[in-house]
Amino acid sequence: MPNDDAVRVEQLVRTYRSGPDTVTALAGVDAAFVRGTFTAVMGPSGSGKSTLLQTAAGLDRPTSGRVWIGDTELSRLSETKLTMLRRNRIGFVFQSYNLIGALTVRENIELPLRLAGTRPDRGWLDEVVARVGLGPRLRHRPAELSGGQQQRVAIARALATRPDVIFSDEPTGALDSQTAAEVLGLLRSVVDGYGQTVIMVTHDRGAASYADRVLHMSDGSIVRAEAMHSVLAQVG
Ligand code: ADP
């Protein structure tokens, strides 16, 4: 049977040692993220949002529990295989755009393909560049772009390998509200236009309103799942 979940986590526990104490960042989280959906993760500072994102994305290993990206269960993978999976099947968009200043916009977008040793699919890259509206900027360096444009480069870079899922941690945290709305609209459009799956941590209710649902976290657990009506649907 085909797996409709782009990402699934089961009984995810992550504890940290803090001197003599143990901090429980994730207290046994179960969640499934269906392909082609946009999920926001909200909750107070320290509730486990970033830890959930990091463990679900294979950036951090859980203390116990399991994570699937599609049909691949991550705990079975060696570090090398996990790194390859992150490069090929996961896109990342962070608050700090993490672009490489010495590379042009085009080179930044194509970097994941080079790291993965994959031949660029020109048609796909052209489409991604057009969608994020960066065509005239391809030869520019990141420092020549506004914050919103840099985040568009980061989104194009995240899409370059056609990943199974894009993980995003506070993608609009450094942007003014108008630019933030444009970046969130772009994330929404890659879900609606390409059937991409997006999982986004945010503390901003307005940002979360672009998602299909919001998972609310408290003390390392998901305490509520809230269905959203996307702002695009409201505008349309
Ligand atoms: P949020 O993203 O919701 O602010 P986090 O996932 O960053 O929450 O953190 C959840 C809990 O785990 C917090 O109590 C935090 O202090 C703790 N924590 C997170 N990372 C570490 C770490 N590397 N070492 C020790 N404690 C950590």
PDB file of all heavy atoms in Angstrom, residues 16-18 23-25 43-52 201, ligand 1:
ATOM      1  N   TYR A  16      17.644  15.543  27.312  1.00  0.00           N
ATOM      2  CA  TYR A  16      18.986  16.124  27.363  1.00  0.00           C
ATOM      3  C   TYR A  16      19.487  16.047  28.793  1.00  0.00           C
ATOM      4  O   TYR A  16      18.716  16.268  29.730  1.00  0.00           O
ATOM      5  CB  TYR A  16      18.967  17.599  26.942  1.00  0.00           C
ATOM      6  CG  TYR A  16      18.606  17.852  25.504  1.00  0.00           C
ATOM      7  CD1 TYR A  16      17.346  18.329  25.158  1.00  0.00           C
ATOM      8  CD2 TYR A  16      19.536  17.648  24.494  1.00  0.00           C
ATOM      9  CE1 TYR A  16      17.016  18.589  23.836  1.00  0.00           C
ATOM     10  CE2 TYR A  16      19.213  17.907  23.174  1.00  0.00           C
ATOM     11  CZ  TYR A  16      17.949  18.373  22.856  1.00  0.00           C
ATOM     12  OH  TYR A  16      17.632  18.626  21.552  1.00  0.00           O
ATOM     13  N   ARG A  17      20.770  15.782  28.955  1.00  0.00           N
ATOM     14  CA  ARG A  17      21.396  15.868  30.276  1.00  0.00           C
ATOM     15  C   ARG A  17      21.776  17.306  30.531  1.00  0.00           C
ATOM     16  O   ARG A  17      22.369  17.959  29.674  1.00  0.00           O
ATOM     17  CB  ARG A  17      22.650  14.996  30.312  1.00  0.00           C
ATOM     18  CG  ARG A  17      22.365  13.518  30.150  1.00  0.00           C
ATOM     19  CD  ARG A  17      21.746  12.919  31.414  1.00  0.00           C
ATOM     20  NE  ARG A  17      22.705  12.881  32.512  1.00  0.00           N
ATOM     21  CZ  ARG A  17      23.605  11.915  32.664  1.00  0.00           C
ATOM     22  NH1 ARG A  17      23.652  10.919  31.792  1.00  0.00           N
ATOM     23  NH2 ARG A  17      24.445  11.940  33.673  1.00  0.00           N
ATOM     24  N   SER A  18      21.402  17.827  31.664  1.00  0.00           N
ATOM     25  CA  SER A  18      21.764  19.186  32.033  1.00  0.00           C
ATOM     26  C   SER A  18      22.341  19.115  33.443  1.00  0.00           C
ATOM     27  O   SER A  18      21.596  19.148  34.420  1.00  0.00           O
ATOM     28  CB  SER A  18      20.525  20.082  31.962  1.00  0.00           C
ATOM     29  OG  SER A  18      20.827  21.358  32.446  1.00  0.00           O
ATOM     30  N   VAL A  23      16.507  16.884  31.150  1.00  0.00           N
ATOM     31  CA  VAL A  23      15.442  17.720  30.585  1.00  0.00           C
ATOM     32  C   VAL A  23      14.731  16.908  29.511  1.00  0.00           C
ATOM     33  O   VAL A  23      15.380  16.347  28.626  1.00  0.00           O
ATOM     34  CB  VAL A  23      16.029  19.006  29.952  1.00  0.00           C
ATOM     35  CG1 VAL A  23      14.932  19.833  29.293  1.00  0.00           C
ATOM     36  CG2 VAL A  23      16.760  19.831  30.995  1.00  0.00           C
ATOM     37  N   THR A  24      13.405  16.835  29.612  1.00  0.00           N
ATOM     38  CA  THR A  24      12.628  16.107  28.604  1.00  0.00           C
ATOM     39  C   THR A  24      12.113  17.098  27.571  1.00  0.00           C
ATOM     40  O   THR A  24      11.171  17.841  27.835  1.00  0.00           O
ATOM     41  CB  THR A  24      11.455  15.353  29.259  1.00  0.00           C
ATOM     42  OG1 THR A  24      11.996  14.474  30.251  1.00  0.00           O
ATOM     43  CG2 THR A  24      10.672  14.546  28.234  1.00  0.00           C
ATOM     44  N   ALA A  25      12.740  17.118  26.410  1.00  0.00           N
ATOM     45  CA  ALA A  25      12.329  18.049  25.354  1.00  0.00           C
ATOM     46  C   ALA A  25      11.148  17.492  24.574  1.00  0.00           C
ATOM     47  O   ALA A  25      10.256  18.240  24.168  1.00  0.00           O
ATOM     48  CB  ALA A  25      13.495  18.329  24.414  1.00  0.00           C
ATOM     49  N   GLY A  43       3.691  26.816  20.022  1.00  0.00           N
ATOM     50  CA  GLY A  43       3.766  26.497  21.445  1.00  0.00           C
ATOM     51  C   GLY A  43       4.741  27.433  22.119  1.00  0.00           C
ATOM     52  O   GLY A  43       5.551  28.074  21.454  1.00  0.00           O
ATOM     53  N   PRO A  44       4.678  27.506  23.443  1.00  0.00           N
ATOM     54  CA  PRO A  44       5.576  28.413  24.161  1.00  0.00           C
ATOM     55  C   PRO A  44       7.034  28.035  23.977  1.00  0.00           C
ATOM     56  O   PRO A  44       7.345  26.893  23.606  1.00  0.00           O
ATOM     57  CB  PRO A  44       5.165  28.248  25.626  1.00  0.00           C
ATOM     58  CG  PRO A  44       4.039  27.301  25.671  1.00  0.00           C
ATOM     59  CD  PRO A  44       3.791  26.750  24.312  1.00  0.00           C
ATOM     60  N   SER A  45       7.903  28.996  24.248  1.00  0.00           N
ATOM     61  CA  SER A  45       9.340  28.742  24.212  1.00  0.00           C
ATOM     62  C   SER A  45       9.663  27.586  25.157  1.00  0.00           C
ATOM     63  O   SER A  45       9.148  27.520  26.267  1.00  0.00           O
ATOM     64  CB  SER A  45      10.055  30.024  24.643  1.00  0.00           C
ATOM     65  OG  SER A  45      11.422  29.835  24.591  1.00  0.00           O
ATOM     66  N   GLY A  46      10.485  26.644  24.661  1.00  0.00           N
ATOM     67  CA  GLY A  46      10.875  25.509  25.491  1.00  0.00           C
ATOM     68  C   GLY A  46       9.902  24.344  25.444  1.00  0.00           C
ATOM     69  O   GLY A  46      10.087  23.345  26.135  1.00  0.00           O
ATOM     70  N   SER A  47       8.841  24.432  24.620  1.00  0.00           N
ATOM     71  CA  SER A  47       7.831  23.357  24.579  1.00  0.00           C
ATOM     72  C   SER A  47       8.258  22.178  23.707  1.00  0.00           C
ATOM     73  O   SER A  47       7.566  21.160  23.678  1.00  0.00           O
ATOM     74  CB  SER A  47       6.481  23.912  24.114  1.00  0.00           C
ATOM     75  OG  SER A  47       6.574  24.489  22.832  1.00  0.00           O
ATOM     76  N   GLY A  48       9.369  22.315  22.966  1.00  0.00           N
ATOM     77  CA  GLY A  48       9.877  21.175  22.200  1.00  0.00           C
ATOM     78  C   GLY A  48       9.734  21.298  20.690  1.00  0.00           C
ATOM     79  O   GLY A  48      10.031  20.350  19.957  1.00  0.00           O
ATOM     80  N   LYS A  49       9.321  22.471  20.200  1.00  0.00           N
ATOM     81  CA  LYS A  49       9.071  22.647  18.762  1.00  0.00           C
ATOM     82  C   LYS A  49      10.333  22.383  17.931  1.00  0.00           C
ATOM     83  O   LYS A  49      10.307  21.620  16.969  1.00  0.00           O
ATOM     84  CB  LYS A  49       8.573  24.081  18.472  1.00  0.00           C
ATOM     85  CG  LYS A  49       7.359  24.489  19.249  1.00  0.00           C
ATOM     86  CD  LYS A  49       6.903  25.904  18.915  1.00  0.00           C
ATOM     87  CE  LYS A  49       7.882  27.003  19.273  1.00  0.00           C
ATOM     88  NZ  LYS A  49       8.118  27.149  20.726  1.00  0.00           N
ATOM     89  N   SER A  50      11.423  23.044  18.307  1.00  0.00           N
ATOM     90  CA  SER A  50      12.658  22.893  17.527  1.00  0.00           C
ATOM     91  C   SER A  50      13.187  21.471  17.624  1.00  0.00           C
ATOM     92  O   SER A  50      13.679  20.912  16.630  1.00  0.00           O
ATOM     93  CB  SER A  50      13.731  23.870  18.007  1.00  0.00           C
ATOM     94  OG  SER A  50      13.317  25.179  17.725  1.00  0.00           O
ATOM     95  N   THR A  51      13.065  20.874  18.799  1.00  0.00           N
ATOM     96  CA  THR A  51      13.544  19.497  18.966  1.00  0.00           C
ATOM     97  C   THR A  51      12.730  18.550  18.089  1.00  0.00           C
ATOM     98  O   THR A  51      13.280  17.632  17.473  1.00  0.00           O
ATOM     99  CB  THR A  51      13.477  19.083  20.446  1.00  0.00           C
ATOM    100  OG1 THR A  51      14.200  20.046  21.223  1.00  0.00           O
ATOM    101  CG2 THR A  51      14.075  17.712  20.659  1.00  0.00           C
ATOM    102  N   LEU A  52      11.416  18.768  18.015  1.00  0.00           N
ATOM    103  CA  LEU A  52      10.586  17.937  17.136  1.00  0.00           C
ATOM    104  C   LEU A  52      11.050  18.082  15.685  1.00  0.00           C
ATOM    105  O   LEU A  52      11.225  17.091  14.964  1.00  0.00           O
ATOM    106  CB  LEU A  52       9.109  18.340  17.277  1.00  0.00           C
ATOM    107  CG  LEU A  52       8.144  17.626  16.327  1.00  0.00           C
ATOM    108  CD1 LEU A  52       8.175  16.112  16.535  1.00  0.00           C
ATOM    109  CD2 LEU A  52       6.714  18.158  16.496  1.00  0.00           C
ATOM    110  N   VAL A 201       7.859  25.527  12.052  1.00  0.00           N
ATOM    111  CA  VAL A 201       7.764  26.009  13.429  1.00  0.00           C
ATOM    112  C   VAL A 201       7.593  27.518  13.405  1.00  0.00           C
ATOM    113  O   VAL A 201       8.311  28.215  12.688  1.00  0.00           O
ATOM    114  CB  VAL A 201       9.046  25.644  14.221  1.00  0.00           C
ATOM    115  CG1 VAL A 201       9.103  26.415  15.537  1.00  0.00           C
ATOM    116  CG2 VAL A 201       9.097  24.146  14.487  1.00  0.00           C
TER     117      VAL A 201
HETATM  118  P1  ADP B   1      11.160  25.339  21.555  1.00  0.00           P
HETATM  119  O1  ADP B   1      11.660  25.167  20.161  1.00  0.00           O
HETATM  120  O2  ADP B   1       9.680  25.069  21.680  1.00  0.00           O
HETATM  121  O3  ADP B   1      11.530  26.650  22.161  1.00  0.00           O
HETATM  122  P2  ADP B   1      13.167  23.385  22.243  1.00  0.00           P
HETATM  123  O4  ADP B   1      12.855  22.192  21.438  1.00  0.00           O
HETATM  124  O5  ADP B   1      14.262  24.274  21.757  1.00  0.00           O
HETATM  125  O6  ADP B   1      11.815  24.225  22.474  1.00  0.00           O
HETATM  126  O7  ADP B   1      13.557  22.945  23.722  1.00  0.00           O
HETATM  127  C1  ADP B   1      12.752  22.053  24.503  1.00  0.00           C
HETATM  128  C2  ADP B   1      13.430  21.833  25.860  1.00  0.00           C
HETATM  129  O8  ADP B   1      14.646  21.133  25.671  1.00  0.00           O
HETATM  130  C3  ADP B   1      13.786  23.115  26.593  1.00  0.00           C
HETATM  131  O9  ADP B   1      13.615  22.901  27.966  1.00  0.00           O
HETATM  132  C4  ADP B   1      15.239  23.308  26.260  1.00  0.00           C
HETATM  133  O10 ADP B   1      15.897  24.019  27.266  1.00  0.00           O
HETATM  134  C5  ADP B   1      15.737  21.881  26.169  1.00  0.00           C
HETATM  135  N1  ADP B   1      16.878  21.743  25.241  1.00  0.00           N
HETATM  136  C6  ADP B   1      16.823  21.914  23.891  1.00  0.00           C
HETATM  137  N2  ADP B   1      18.023  21.698  23.349  1.00  0.00           N
HETATM  138  C7  ADP B   1      18.863  21.386  24.364  1.00  0.00           C
HETATM  139  C8  ADP B   1      20.249  21.036  24.458  1.00  0.00           C
HETATM  140  N3  ADP B   1      21.014  20.963  23.371  1.00  0.00           N
HETATM  141  N4  ADP B   1      20.753  20.777  25.686  1.00  0.00           N
HETATM  142  C9  ADP B   1      19.980  20.833  26.786  1.00  0.00           C
HETATM  143  N5  ADP B   1      18.681  21.136  26.772  1.00  0.00           N
HETATM  144  C10 ADP B   1      18.113  21.414  25.592  1.00  0.00           C
END
